[in-house]
Structure formats: C-alpha cells, structure tokens
Amino acid sequence: MNFRFILSLFIVCSVSAQQSLLTEKADLQANAIVKNIPFTNIGPTVMSGRVVDLAVNPDNPTEFYVGYASGGVWHTINNGTTFTPILDSAQTQNVGTIAVDWKTRTLWVGTGENNASRSSYAGIGMLKSNDNGQNWEFVGLPNSQHIGRILINPNNVNEVTVGVTGALYSKSEDRGVYKTKDGGKTWVKTLYIDDVSGIIDMQQAPNDFNRLYATSWTKDRKAWNFDGSGNNSAIYKSTDAGDTWVKVSTEASGFPTGSGVGRIGLAVYDNNIIYAIHDSQFRRPSSGNKDKRNGLQKDDFKTMSTTDFLDLEDKKLNAFLRMNGFQEKYRAANVKQMVRSGNVKPADLAHYLEDANSMLFDTPVIGAEVYKSNDGGQTWRKTHDDYLDDLYYSYGYYFGHIHVSPVDQNAVYVYGVPILKSKDGGKTFTSISAENVHADHHALWINPKNPEHLVNGNDGGVNITYDDGSNWTKNNSPSVGQFYAINIDNQKPYRVYGGLQDNGVWVGAHDAKEDKSWQQSGDYPWKSIMGGDGMQIEIDNRNPDIVYTGYQFGNYFRLNRDTGDQTYIQPKHELGEKPYRFNWQTPIHLSRHNQDILYLGGNKLMRSLDQGNTWQAISGDLTQGGKQGNVAYGTIATISESPFEFGLLYVGSDDGLIHVSKNQGATWEVISTNLPKDLWVTRVVASKHKKERVYATLNGYRFDDFATYVYKSDDYGQTWTSISSNIPKSPVNVIIEDQVKETILYLGTDNGVYVSFDTGGTWHAFSKNLPAVAVHDIKMQEETNDLLLGTHGRGIYKTNVTPLQEFDFGVVSSNAMTIFDLDAIRYYKRWGNSWSKWMAPFEPSTTITLFSATSGQKEVKIMSENNKEIQGFSVAIDKGFNFITYDLTISEKGRKALMKENTTIDINKAKNDNYYIPKGKYTVKIDGVSKGFEVE
C-alpha cells in the first residue's frame, strides 16, 4: 500500500532562539579584550580530516568546494593544489552537506554532520552565501542539528529542497524534508516520518527537478548503544519537486522492509534507472552446517561443561590460550585447576575475550547490498549474488552513498572502508583503493564530460584520479585534523604530539614550517608514531623518546622512539572477572611525582609502578556500572593527580560520577552528588596552585544537551560552584589553569575557546585567526608560555600568553595603557635585500604588544636614545590587548637624526627603497607611555 504525504502546514521557522545564541557569541567576540590575541595554525596537514561532501564546477572542474565534517568549507581554483577556507566567519565549522548553483554562484551549506558518528557535531541550521563565503546569511532550520542533503532547482536558485536528518541522540519532530521557494526566508515541511526517522539522502533525476527521491533513516543512538535500523527506513519519490511524496520501497516493490532496514543511499541515472545501497541490519541466515575449524574456538567454551573442559588436551588448550593473547600466567595446568576449584567456569574463557568493541565487530549482519530499479523506483532487485563483505563491516551507518556514471548506466561506485567500482551494473565489483588513498569514504564526484575523472573525499582528505581509480593524487593542504588529544614535551624546540580521528598519532616540532618546502626532501616535519584512532599521549620528562600512546578502546603502548621498540600495555582483567570497560577515548596519566608510574582508566582505575609492564586495580568500579549495549559505557573518561601530593587522585566517568581518593586509591569518595546527573565528565583537574582546589567540566552532547557545565571546588569537591558565567551555550570539553597566574583559566568548548582572568567569574572569547571549531584539548608549554589548542576539525593552534600573565586585571577600569616588554632585535644586513633580483627582499618586523583601556586612533613613535623621533605611524587601537607590527624602517628625517647623533655610522637605503633601524637603544611611545627596546 502506498502512502501519499501532503503536509499543508506552512512553517516559518522560529529563528529567534538560535539567532540569539549566535548573536551572543558574536557580541562576546567583538567586545572581548582578548580578540586580538593572535593564534597560529601549526598543522599538521598531510593526513587531513574527514570529508563529508564535494561540490565541483562542471564547466571548470579545477574549481571545487570541499565540506569537512568539523573543519568548515574550503575552496580551490587550481584543482586542489591549494585551498582557501570560506566558512571561518560563520559560527560553526560543522558541515553536513553543501550545494552550489554555479550560474549565480550561490552557495548553500547545511550544517551538522549526517554520518551519525560518535563525533558528528550538530550544526546551527542553513547558511547561504552569494559572495564565495565572504559573508554568510543564516536562512533557517535552526533546530535541524544534522542535515543530509540539499537540492537546488537548476532553473530557480530560490527553490531549494533540504533533507533534515535531525538530532543525533534524542527524538525530534524537526526531522523531514523542507522546501523553500524564496531563498530560505520561509520553509514548508513536505515530508515527515516520525521523531526518530530523518532524511539521510535525496537525489534528483538529471534534467528533471520535478522527479526527486529521498531516503528516510530510522536510528537510535545512545552513549551506550547504537541501533541503526528500523521499520521506517525507506525510499520516497516526488514528481512535483518535493511538494508531495510517495513511499516506493513497499513490501511489493522487492526492496527490503522491516526492522532491519538501515541507512539507504541513492544514485539516479535517468527517469527510470535508480540504484540504491542499503546497510542491511538483518541477520545473515545460518549456513546449515558448521565450517570445519582447526582448534578450539571462543564460542565452544560458552556451552562446555566442566567435565569436558577438564578432559581437553593441554596442548590444544594452550594453543587456544596463546593464540588469543591470554596472559602468560593462564596456561592449561593452572586454568584447569581454577576450573576444578570452582573459581572459574569454562564460559569465562569466552567472556575474557569479549568487550564492547569486539562484540560490535562480531555482529553477523548482512551489511551492504546494492539494489536497482528500472521503473523509477516502483520495483527493485538486488544486483549481486554474494555478500559485499569487507565494505561496511559492522558500521555501515558511517557511509551510505552510491554513485552512477552520468554517461554509463552500468558504471557504479560504492564505498565504505574501501572504494569499489562495477562496470556491469553492480553484479561484480573491484577495488579502486590505493596506497595513497585513505580508508573510510564519504563523497565522490564523477566528471560528466570525462567519466574517468573522479574526485573522492574520505577520512584522510581529498584524492583525484583521471584513469577511473587506477592512479590517484592526494590533495591535502588544509589543516583540518580532528584531534582528540594533544601533548607537548620539553625538548628544544619542543615537540607537539596529537591523536587524530582515524589518522593515528603524530609528532612534530612546534616551529616546523607548514609549507611545501618539505616536498623537496620528501621529509615531512611531522611523523606518524601510531595508527588507528589516535588517543592520549604521555611523554616521560626524563627521556622524551619514551612515549605512552595508543588507539581506541584502551589499546595503549609504550614506545621507545630511539630503538623503535613498541610494547603493548593494556591492563587485562583476571580470568573469572568481568572484562574491563574501556572508553573510546581511554584516559591515561603519567604521575608527575614519579615518571615510572602510569594511571589508566577502564571502569576501574589501574596503576602501574613499572611503566605499564604490570598493573594493579586501585579502585572498584568508579562508574554507575555500565548499560547493556554495543558501545562501551560506564567508563572512566578523565584522570587527574594533584601536583601537591602523590596519590591525591580524581577521576570522572562518562556516566556522570566524580570520585576522589586522598590515600593513593585505598578508598574513594563520590563528590558529584550535587552536580547535574549522568553527564559525561570531560575533565576533572586538580589545581596546580591550591591543593584543595579542583575543577570539573561536564558535557551533555550525548544527550543533545548543549548547555555549558563548568565547576570549581575549593574543598576537594565537597561543594561546587558553577563558573560557566557568560559562556555562550556549548558543551565543554576541557579546562586548564594557567601555569603562572592562579586566576587565569582556559576553556575549550564544541564551539571555541575562552579565557578568564578571575577564576571563572567572567569569560572572554578568543577569535583572532580562530574559527568556531570544537576544541578538545589545551596544553601549556612551561618554558615558552605557549598555549596550544587541539581542535577537532582544524588541527593545532598556538599562541603565546605571556602578556596575559603580565596583565593587571585592574587596568580594565582605568585609563592606563600598558606596553609589554619587547624582545631584543638582532640586526641583519639582509633587511630589505635579497640575494637575487628575482627573489622578494627579506622584510623584517617586530611586534609591539600593549593593553589599552580605551579604543581609538593612536600615534606610534619610535624614538632614538637621545629622544629624537626616527619613525612614526598611526594605528587603530581596540580596548584590550593589541599587537602592532613595526616593520623596523626609519624615515629620511630619522636617518639624518641618527647619523647626526652618531657620526660613525652610515645608513644606506636597502634594495626595497627603505631605510632600516641600525643597532642601538630605542623607545616606543604611544599615548604618553614609553617602553625601551634594543637592536643588537
């Protein structure tokens, strides 16, 4: 039976609440006294980040746009040689889909990634630009959170149809298909399924915008479980440009229906031929006979009796134990004794090997399957006989797209972990993955004028081929790395370490050049030291070659970067115990009191006294006990040890508990009773300035709760005070104290980074060179006073905070100006000159840093030692911190004054026609305030 949906409700989206939040953040940035603190992106770039969509100019395919999941939209006009970010002025970097009307160059961005990943961040609705991203207009759907697809009528740029996937972790009636005919001023919801089924894909028939197709996706994601299928996952068709819809994937159509129908993607060749890829969550049928297997299998023990277990040959049992990584102490003789005594059951051997991660990947579902319709979606048939194994594995929710060549109905492309192509209409497939193409694919464009020209977007960036996938180029220059965690060491220059989503762990010098010069030597300045999803990093401060790091679900290693040794150090539960639960981002902490002592959080806190060789659980379960599901939950998410006292420990869990131990883990006390319940504890931080002080941040992202939760305690967590103050609504990921000044705090949210000069009383937003990106980690380098931000979408940023530490907060309310100390300047004869006339001259500069209590135009004067003006210029000063660039030139009059003061010098004009300041002592004067400096 077909159901026709005609929703006559005319919706004018209420944008006031969303606009208020955006305005609040923008106002805070505009008025912040730290808005001029400059941040520098230090990369790295070679490994990139997750691409979610592409928009390529069909008439000039060297021009295209790339949408990154949490890294914004980037534009290239030279075939990916370089890219320019164009979404940085918007209040989000979270992208679900992009669409361009190339005739008018109108660009639409649906914000909020639609892949339903654990780190798929919500957006702010629909954005539109008519000037290539110089300005963005918010055009509605503020509660959409995640947007699946945008279709623009090629004959009317103001007619746009949008598929809203909707909230990731909660029910929402804002899901569905929306349509505007006035460029986003008003919207009509034309298709609504239910509050758990959103629109994940939409496609149009070529040259016929009236004929549209949409797919709904029923899913239920929780922090502890993900069900990616349901009865209302289906395919819909419209013949009136999306005004009304008919469900075409009925029981009679041949397309799967029922509770196992997962994510569906579509590709439309013409008015009749349509392909669909389906992530089938139906279970595979039993083969009817067991495969012949050599040796014991895990499941054998689940039903094995004690008698049968004791009768096993020791050789056979030992082979199983060794093959499956049981600890050395568990060998046939002693395991049989444990079973004989009743301390362990045979089934415990199977349970020993199972955790949330292994269970997720062991799920025997059908997985990816391709269907084809030859009659406009009325009937469907599967194109292939065999399973498409090793395409989706068990996480097809993360992919879900299919493509057909515009000029060949039998040329079909699908992707998941690899990318595959078929030349026979989906009957057979071959891989076109390559050694320089990252796994996990999310976007593809096929050139209609040259169908062997493909542009591919994946978890590692952008790849381009001109021979249908036989050879690919890698086009990664944007710094869009999605960092979970960062750290620094004390080498000179100090190294920065970072764990990336699906791109491993990398390390590089903080001052490494992020340009193309490395291509001359082939030696990229950042090095990969671990694969998988890169996680936390700890570095031994006695020997920076000793590094602790790993990948998801607690798989940690001790590395010796000098020898290349790599030792697996994940703690293992005892046989007979329930397996430890490890968070996706399992926390580790290297004790500052003894660098041989390492802490690691499962559901219990583990401690090693010998660099991870052996472990002891020093707590019971410090969570609420976990929940039934296919995602590890009820785990420790953050660990902190007081720098004042060994064994004064704090831990926070992903289900809302914070514990403290004042006796090295002998006893623990819950200290989160009066805090909001059940929220993810992203940080608990023992103060480095006051022994009894502790900070905590909570995060409601996994409940679609976007409130800001930040707390401080001055009594070991017995009582808490909220210090979220004026921070705009956004989940909080990290808080740290300034290492020098007790009252300064730095805080990172899903939407930016803030500083407080009064221990959380008031917060100021950083923004100079910083987009509105999720900040997952913050670190300070002790010797340099550099502040580093690990963002989940735009790589790593760095700034120096010495002026903030020297700043007297009382100056804000006075009329005073403070000029901070200037570093000595080393003189070079090459100033203004170059070694070749074909090279640009070297033009030096220095930065004058100041704080002004007022804004306005100010005169800057450079004075000689005898108080003669040798250079002057005018600058606009903002209230707050300012950074004035002085190019070290002097005027003609200044040159004469200096040569009159010192007759032994001769100041000649450089090749760039400027005079430069010679060696000597000088003074900067601004608004009656002076500060001396020296050129050496």
Side-chain angles (χ1 to χ4, degrees):
M1 181 178 179
N2 292 337
F3 293 91
R4 188 166 183 84
F5 290 83
I6 305 175
L7 301 184
S8 59
L9 176 62
F10 186 79
I11 299 175
V12 180
C13 291
S14 174
V15 300
S16 58
Q18 185 71 32
Q19 289 284 52
S20 176
L21 287 173
L22 300 182
T23 302
E24 183 182 350
K25 172 82 182 295
D27 289 347
L28 192 63
Q29 288 177 326
N31 298 313
I33 61 174
V34 297
K35 68 180 180 181
N36 293 320
I37 300 288
F39 281 81
T40 301
N41 190 291
I42 64 171
T45 61
V46 74
M47 72 296 296
S48 195
R50 183 164 67 251
V51 173
V52 293
D53 207 0
L54 300 161
V56 185
N57 187 339
D59 296 321
N60 176 19
T62 62
E63 179 187 18
F64 56 90
Y65 296 91
V66 182
Y68 291 89
S70 53
V73 178
W74 294 66
H75 180 224
T76 180
I77 56 173
N78 53 22
N79 208 32
T81 304
T82 59
F83 290 86
T84 302
I86 63 166
L87 196 65
D88 285 13
S89 62
Q91 286 299 336
T92 186
Q93 293 295 296
N94 305 327
V95 177
T97 185
I98 57 179
V100 181
D101 181 80
W102 291 101
K103 294 190 298 292
T104 62
R105 301 196 67 85
T106 303
L107 176 61
W108 293 74
V109 176
T111 65
E113 185 190 3
N114 60 28
N115 285 321
S117 168
R118 68 188 72 243
S119 58
S120 292
Y121 286 108
I124 58 175
M126 291 291 296
L127 300 176
K128 184 174 75 169
S129 175
N130 295 309
D131 54 11
N132 200 42
Q134 294 184 45
N135 297 280
W136 290 96
E137 179 185 3
F138 175 69
V139 288
L141 306 187
N143 300 317
S144 54
Q145 294 198 29
H146 301 269
I147 294 177
R149 187 69 71 188
I150 302 168
L151 298 178
I152 305 172
N153 186 338
N155 300 313
N156 180 3
V157 68
N158 290 315
E159 183 177 351
V160 178
T161 306
V162 174
V164 172
T165 310
L168 180 57
Y169 283 96
S170 59
K171 295 181 178 181
S172 171
E173 295 185 357
D174 291 285
R175 309 182 199 275
V177 174
Y178 291 80
K179 184 172 180 179
T180 179
K181 295 183 179 180
D182 53 15
K185 295 178 182 178
T186 58
W187 296 85
V188 178
K189 185 193 283 191
T190 64
L191 175 63
Y192 174 71
I193 313 301
D194 59 40
D195 58 8
V196 295
S197 304
I199 304 303
I200 190 61
D201 197 14
M202 291 195 310
Q203 299 293 334
Q204 72 166 86
N207 304 315
D208 186 359
F209 191 74
N210 283 320
R211 196 176 295 262
L212 306 182
Y213 298 87
T215 62
S216 60
W217 182 23
T218 304
K219 60 178 171 54
D220 180 18
R221 183 181 261 289
K222 298 290 189 292
W224 54 90
N225 189 69
F226 185 36
D227 184 356
S229 64
N231 289 316
N232 284 336
S233 295
I235 303 172
Y236 294 83
K237 178 179 180 180
S238 173
T239 56
D240 52 13
D243 287 339
T244 60
W245 297 87
V246 176
K247 182 177 179 179
V248 295
S249 59
T250 62
E251 289 186 15
S253 71
F255 197 87
T257 59
S259 61
V261 180
R263 180 172 175 172
I264 304 167
L266 299 173
V268 184
Y269 179 74
D270 59 22
N271 282 3
N272 295 311
I273 298 172
I274 312 162
Y275 288 93
I277 189 164
H278 169 224
D279 174 31
S280 176
Q281 293 299 296
F282 290 106
R283 295 298 184 261
R284 296 189 179 191
S286 173
S287 61
N289 55 0
K290 292 187 177 180
D291 297 334
K292 291 183 178 180
R293 300 170 298 175
N294 293 320
L296 293 165
Q297 304 295 315
K298 178 187 71 173
D299 290 344
D300 295 339
F301 295 97
K302 292 184 176 180
T303 56
M304 188 178 292
S305 69
T306 298
T307 301
D308 288 343
F309 180 84
L310 296 175
D311 287 342
L312 290 172
E313 295 178 19
D314 284 0
K315 182 178 180 180
K316 193 175 183 180
L317 180 55
N318 276 327
F320 172 82
L321 296 170
R322 289 192 179 96
M323 184 68 68
N324 287 279
F326 280 72
Q327 299 175 66
E328 192 65 34
K329 63 184 178 180
Y330 296 131
R331 292 298 176 255
N334 59 322
V335 172
K336 283 186 175 181
Q337 180 56 39
M338 295 170 74
V339 171
R340 192 177 291 112
S341 66
N343 293 323
V344 169
K345 299 175 182 178
D348 289 329
L349 274 76
H351 298 154
Y352 186 84
L353 300 174
E354 294 179 344
D355 56 33
N357 194 19
S358 65
M359 295 300 287
L360 179 63
F361 284 85
D362 287 344
T363 307
V365 298
I366 291 173
E369 49 186 11
V370 175
Y371 285 80
K372 182 179 181 181
S373 174
N374 290 308
D375 55 10
Q378 298 308 303
T379 61
W380 299 85
R381 62 172 181 82
K382 195 164 71 169
T383 64
H384 50 97
D385 296 325
D386 296 332
Y387 293 120
L388 290 180
D389 285 332
D390 302 330
L391 179 64
Y392 278 2
Y393 293 87
S394 60
Y395 47 105
Y397 64 85
Y398 192 50
F399 309 114
H401 293 296
I402 186 170
H403 303 264
V404 60
S405 169
V407 297
D408 182 358
Q409 65 166 296
N410 291 312
V412 180
Y413 299 83
V414 298
Y415 44 73
V417 177
I419 179 170
L420 310 178
K421 72 177 178 182
S422 171
K423 294 301 182 181
D424 54 13
K427 294 178 183 178
T428 60
F429 289 89
T430 57
S431 172
I432 55 173
S433 298
E435 68 276 7
N436 65 335
V437 179
H438 197 288
D440 294 354
H441 302 265
H442 305 284
L444 187 74
W445 178 79
I446 306 168
N447 189 338
K449 298 177 181 178
N450 176 13
E452 292 199 339
H453 172 204
L454 312 175
V455 183
N456 169 238
N458 52 61
D459 269 15
V462 174
N463 291 89
I464 300 176
T465 179
Y466 286 91
D467 53 17
D468 204 24
S470 295
N471 299 278
W472 297 85
T473 61
K474 198 172 188 70
N475 299 79
N476 286 356
S477 60
S479 180
V480 287
Q482 296 175 293
F483 282 93
Y484 289 118
I486 62 170
N487 212 337
I488 39 85
D489 63 23
N490 295 315
Q491 297 185 72
K492 293 182 179 180
Y494 68 85
R495 270 57 173 180
V496 182
Y497 303 73
L500 284 155
Q501 189 276 328
D502 208 24
N503 282 284
V505 180
W506 291 72
V507 58
H510 76 96
D511 56 355
K513 285 186 177 180
E514 190 54 59
D515 59 21
K516 299 182 183 68
S517 61
W518 68 272
Q519 295 177 6
Q520 289 285 79
S521 65
D523 186 19
Y524 188 67
W526 289 73
K527 307 299 179 187
S528 173
I529 60 174
M530 179 63 60
D533 282 77
M535 291 296 151
Q536 295 186 10
I537 312 100
E538 291 283 358
I539 307 98
D540 193 321
N541 61 27
R542 304 164 301 186
N543 178 4
D545 285 326
I546 304 301
V547 177
Y548 301 87
T549 190
Y551 55 89
Q552 62 267 38
F553 292 119
N555 289 285
Y556 274 96
F557 298 79
R558 184 181 67 249
L559 310 181
N560 186 320
R561 298 190 62 219
D562 180 44
T563 65
D565 291 342
Q566 182 172 292
T567 305
Y568 187 63
I569 60 170
Q570 185 187 63
K572 196 68 176 175
H573 61 286
E574 299 296 323
L575 188 59
E577 279 189 311
K578 288 184 177 180
Y580 296 141
R581 297 186 299 274
F582 295 107
N583 196 283
W584 175 266
Q585 300 180 52
T586 296
I588 58 174
H589 180 83
L590 194 59
S591 176
R592 304 306 182 256
H593 303 282
N594 183 332
Q595 292 283 281
D596 287 335
I597 297 177
L598 180 68
Y599 299 97
L600 185 150
N603 53 309
K604 301 178 180 181
L605 184 64
M606 316 295 170
R607 183 181 65 198
S608 173
L609 303 177
D610 54 8
Q611 299 183 306
N613 289 322
T614 61
W615 293 92
Q616 176 189 8
I618 60 171
S619 76
D621 192 332
L622 296 179
T623 76
Q624 296 189 46
K627 290 190 176 185
Q628 187 68 36
N630 54 23
V631 179
Y633 184 73
T635 64
I636 293 172
T638 178
I639 307 167
S640 184
E641 182 179 42
S642 172
F644 289 98
E645 180 182 341
F646 171 68
L648 174 51
L649 296 163
Y650 297 91
V651 299
S653 70
D654 61 2
D655 56 5
L657 297 185
I658 303 176
H659 284 82
V660 63
S661 174
K662 299 177 182 178
N663 51 15
Q664 303 173 36
T667 59
W668 293 86
E669 178 185 2
V670 177
I671 55 173
S672 52
T673 305
N674 296 322
L675 294 178
K677 306 301 182 186
D678 303 328
L679 301 180
W680 195 292
V681 183
T682 49
R683 286 296 189 280
V684 56
V685 179
S687 172
K688 61 183 67 176
H689 297 292
K690 192 174 181 182
K691 182 179 178 181
E692 59 270 26
R693 180 172 292 168
V694 59
Y695 296 92
T697 60
L698 311 181
N699 187 306
Y701 160 76
R702 288 164 184 81
F703 295 93
D704 287 326
D705 175 0
F706 302 109
T708 303
Y709 300 103
V710 192
Y711 299 91
K712 181 187 74 170
S713 172
D714 279 323
D715 54 11
Y716 303 99
Q718 297 303 304
T719 59
W720 295 93
T721 301
S722 172
I723 56 171
S724 57
S725 183
N726 61 321
I727 303 172
K729 189 176 181 182
S730 184
V732 181
N733 300 310
V734 56
I735 187 171
I736 70 166
E737 292 179 307
D738 186 87
Q739 63 190 10
V740 174
K741 202 163 186 178
E742 178 181 351
T743 55
I744 299 179
L745 300 173
Y746 306 97
L747 181 134
T749 74
D750 280 354
N751 193 244
V753 63
Y754 302 84
V755 60
S756 173
F757 296 99
D758 55 1
T759 327
T762 306
W763 295 90
H764 308 266
F766 289 117
S767 59
K768 183 76 169 182
N769 305 328
L770 280 176
V773 65
V775 176
H776 271 217
D777 207 356
I778 305 176
K779 290 290 188 291
M780 288 195 72
Q781 213 285 333
E782 292 184 3
E783 293 189 20
T784 62
N785 277 336
D786 284 346
L787 184 76
L788 293 106
L789 312 178
T791 76
H792 199 78
R794 292 297 289 269
I796 299 173
Y797 287 84
K798 178 183 72 172
T799 194
N800 189 273
V801 294
T802 301
L804 278 63
Q805 296 165 342
E806 296 176 353
F807 168 60
D808 180 1
F809 196 77
V811 171
V812 174
S813 58
S814 74
N815 293 320
M817 174 181 287
T818 301
I819 303 176
F820 298 99
D821 291 341
L822 280 75
D823 293 333
I825 301 165
R826 184 173 295 278
Y827 175 82
Y828 289 100
K829 290 184 178 180
R830 66 190 182 105
W831 288 355
N833 299 311
S834 65
W835 61 270
S836 165
K837 69 177 183 179
W838 308 113
M839 303 290 289
F842 173 71
E843 297 184 337
S845 66
T846 193
T847 300
I848 303 166
T849 304
L850 60 89
F851 183 92
S852 176
T854 59
S855 60
Q857 204 71 17
K858 306 288 183 182
E859 295 298 319
V860 180
K861 296 181 180 181
I862 309 299
M863 312 298 292
S864 72
E865 195 170 11
N866 291 335
N867 205 32
K868 299 293 185 181
E869 182 178 337
I870 61 173
Q871 185 61 289
F873 52 94
S874 180
V875 295
I877 297 293
D878 292 315
K879 179 179 178 180
F881 292 93
N882 292 266
F883 297 81
I884 301 169
T885 299
Y886 168 42
D887 62 7
L888 301 182
T889 63
I890 59 175
S891 65
E892 179 73 43
K893 183 179 179 182
R895 169 180 176 266
K896 292 178 180 178
L898 286 174
M899 293 177 65
K900 186 175 181 180
E901 289 179 10
N902 185 353
T903 58
T904 65
I905 63 172
D906 189 13
I907 305 173
N908 296 313
K909 187 171 287 188
K911 288 184 179 180
N912 67 351
D913 211 33
N914 286 322
Y915 295 110
Y916 283 93
I917 193 169
K919 294 180 181 179
K921 294 182 179 180
Y922 305 92
T923 301
V924 176
K925 285 188 176 181
I926 307 174
D927 214 24
V929 179
S930 301
K931 179 65 70 171
F933 69 97
E934 186 172 2
V935 179
E936 301 174 337

